[in-house]
Amino acid sequence: MSEMNIRDYLEEEFKEDKLYQELIRLGREDDIFNDEVLKLYPHQIYSTKELSLILNKHESTIRNYIRRDYHDGALYDYLEPDRINLRTFRYNVRSVFKFVMMFVYLDLEDKGIADLLNILGLLSTKVIHDTVNDNRSLNNNNGTSQEISDQKLFAIGKLLEHKNHKNELLMQQLELNRKHDATRLNIEVVKNKIQIIQLQEKLLLSEKKGHSILDYSLRKTIDSKNKKTGFFASIFSKKEDSEDPETILNQAQANAEQINVQINESELQQLNLEIERLTEELKTIEEQKEVLAQKIDAASNISFNDNYDYLDQDPRDGGEDDE
């Protein structure tokens, strides 16, 4: 299936989808039709592990969004995962694309689950449910109503706290990305320095060989001209005293092959040590990025139950055995 065909397929399938329409309106068309999406096949079925690679998200993050208790299962119904058994899910191309759109939207600044559910029209039921419960509590017991208000304020405070925490993590991620790019660039610079030294060595060697060949050829030619000439000289001179140009050139090239040049081994050694140091530094940065990515995912996965109790879900809970 070609790239254009899968894109046409998805555009036709989701032209009435509210989230799709919102992302197009926000100019995020290139984000949702990224390289990974354009590799999808309409009839392919994907595992959670495969989906995590497509989304560049941890499997635990994916499973968190399809928990039945997560916002009353609203996202579970929208994302359409196919549950094979208690711990295993599969996803068709529609489900995969919905996950892509969801994470593109949630990665936007100041966008959260409530905004997403509101766009999809999935928030109204929960809001009405909470409002009815609040009104009943108000009529039955003012103290209970105050308690619910306090719980709401606590939940809002926790939400703001986590948003600030997530923003701090995102700033750290930007800084790590900058360091990562700078370190990779420095490695390339050092490699280029080594190549320049090696090329200079080859150039110097080539020049010395050329000078040697020219010098030898000229001296042999001058020696030949200085030999005695004339009738008697031609009679009494030995034949081996006269060398033809090809012999001279061959001998000159043979002499040139013995020439060598000394390079700055100390400088090369220092440059190679610098590459090793930068490579180790790059590895450390990549490990830090991996840890930070997990923290950002965890900071994104917050929710509140119907009693406005803060849920700090361990992303490892309910894991999938998806070998």
Side-chain angles (χ1 to χ4, degrees), residues 171-225:
M171 291 299 295
Q172 293 177 28
Q173 188 178 55
L174 287 174
E175 178 63 17
L176 277 180
N177 287 339
R178 185 195 66 77
K179 286 184 178 180
H180 186 271
D181 293 341
T183 305
R184 287 184 59 184
L185 180 60
N186 287 335
I187 290 175
E188 292 303 315
V189 169
V190 177
K191 286 182 177 179
N192 287 337
K193 286 182 180 180
I194 292 176
Q195 288 181 347
I196 289 172
I197 291 175
Q198 293 171 338
L199 288 174
Q200 287 174 339
E201 173 194 359
K202 291 180 180 179
L203 179 60
L204 180 59
L205 182 61
S206 178
E207 288 178 350
K208 285 193 173 186
K209 286 183 177 181
H211 291 158
S212 174
I213 291 172
L214 181 60
D215 179 67
Y216 184 86
S217 301
L218 287 174
R219 283 192 290 102
K220 280 292 185 180
T221 302
I222 292 172
D223 289 345
S224 297
K225 286 185 177 181

Side-chain angles (χ1 to χ4, degrees), residues 92-223:
N92 60 27
V93 72
R94 282 177 49 84
S95 180
V96 171
F97 192 60
K98 285 182 176 183
F99 270 98
V100 171
M101 292 194 298
M102 178 182 70
F103 283 118
V104 167
Y105 183 79
L106 291 177
D107 284 341
L108 297 176
E109 187 176 0
D110 296 330
K111 298 299 182 185
I113 290 295
D115 302 302
L116 175 66
L117 294 175
N118 186 48
I119 288 175
L120 295 172
L122 302 174
L123 189 62
S124 57
T125 301
K126 181 171 175 55
V127 170
I128 292 171
H129 173 71
D130 291 340
T131 303
V132 170
N133 285 342
D134 288 351
N135 288 336
R136 287 175 180 174
S137 298
L138 180 62
N139 292 332
N140 293 334
N141 191 306
N142 288 333
T144 304
S145 177
Q146 181 62 45
E147 182 181 348
I148 291 175
S149 297
D150 291 342
Q151 289 172 339
K152 284 184 178 180
L153 289 174
F154 176 79
I156 292 172
K158 277 291 184 180
L159 182 61
L160 292 174
E161 178 184 330
H162 273 267
K163 281 201 170 187
N164 289 336
H165 177 58
K166 183 179 178 181
N167 287 336
E168 290 176 2
L169 293 175
L170 290 173
M171 291 299 295
Q172 293 177 28
Q173 188 178 55
L174 287 174
E175 178 63 17
L176 277 180
N177 287 339
R178 185 195 66 77
K179 286 184 178 180
H180 186 271
D181 293 341
T183 305
R184 287 184 59 184
L185 180 60
N186 287 335
I187 290 175
E188 292 303 315
V189 169
V190 177
K191 286 182 177 179
N192 287 337
K193 286 182 180 180
I194 292 176
Q195 288 181 347
I196 289 172
I197 291 175
Q198 293 171 338
L199 288 174
Q200 287 174 339
E201 173 194 359
K202 291 180 180 179
L203 179 60
L204 180 59
L205 182 61
S206 178
E207 288 178 350
K208 285 193 173 186
K209 286 183 177 181
H211 291 158
S212 174
I213 291 172
L214 181 60
D215 179 67
Y216 184 86
S217 301
L218 287 174
R219 283 192 290 102
K220 280 292 185 180
T221 302
I222 292 172
D223 289 345

Side-chain angles (χ1 to χ4, degrees), residues 7 27 44 73 78 142 160 177 180-181 187 203 211 225 229 232 258 278 282 285 294 309:
R7 180 163 183 158
Q44 180 76 25
Y78 173 72
N142 288 333
L160 292 174
N177 287 339
H180 186 271
D181 293 341
I187 290 175
L203 179 60
H211 291 158
K225 286 185 177 181
T229 59
F232 290 102
Q258 305 303 316
L278 290 171
L282 188 67
I285 293 173
Q294 295 180 25
D309 293 327

